[in-house]
Amino acid sequence: MMDTTQQDVEQAAIEVLANSSVRELRQLRVDGSSNKLELSGRVRSFYHKQLAQETVLAVAAGMQVVNQVDVSA
């Protein structure tokens, strides 16, 4: 079970992606557990995969970010 801080960080990560100007990032999923945030979903470029990771890292508050986003054309 996550504590309130982890839930807050997960929600912040969801919101920062939801407010992204890149449409593909708004479709990604964030799951938080055991002091880590896991990103999943699909984007069309490695740039967008990296952008999603860096966007979430900005609000991760020390949590590990695991980028499981798939890249496909």
Side-chain angles (χ1 to χ4, degrees):
M1 176 179 264
M2 287 193 302
D3 64 27
T4 303
T5 303
Q6 288 180 326
Q7 289 174 345
D8 291 344
V9 171
E10 180 181 1
Q11 187 60 41
I14 291 167
E15 288 175 14
V16 75
L17 289 174
N19 292 322
S20 173
S21 61
V22 179
R23 186 174 61 86
E24 288 182 314
L25 271 55
R26 295 192 302 258
Q27 307 301 316
L28 296 177
R29 180 180 171 136
V30 178
D31 293 309
S33 65
S34 302
N35 203 34
K36 72 178 174 184
L37 295 171
E38 184 171 312
L39 302 176
S40 59
R42 188 175 309 271
V43 294
R44 291 181 287 164
S45 71
F46 284 101
Y47 171 73
H48 285 154
K49 178 177 178 155
Q50 185 67 28
L51 183 61
Q53 179 176 315
E54 293 301 317
T55 300
V56 169
L57 275 172
V59 297
M63 292 179 72
Q64 177 185 11
V65 176
V66 179
N67 191 340
Q68 297 293 327
V69 174
D70 291 322
V71 178
S72 65

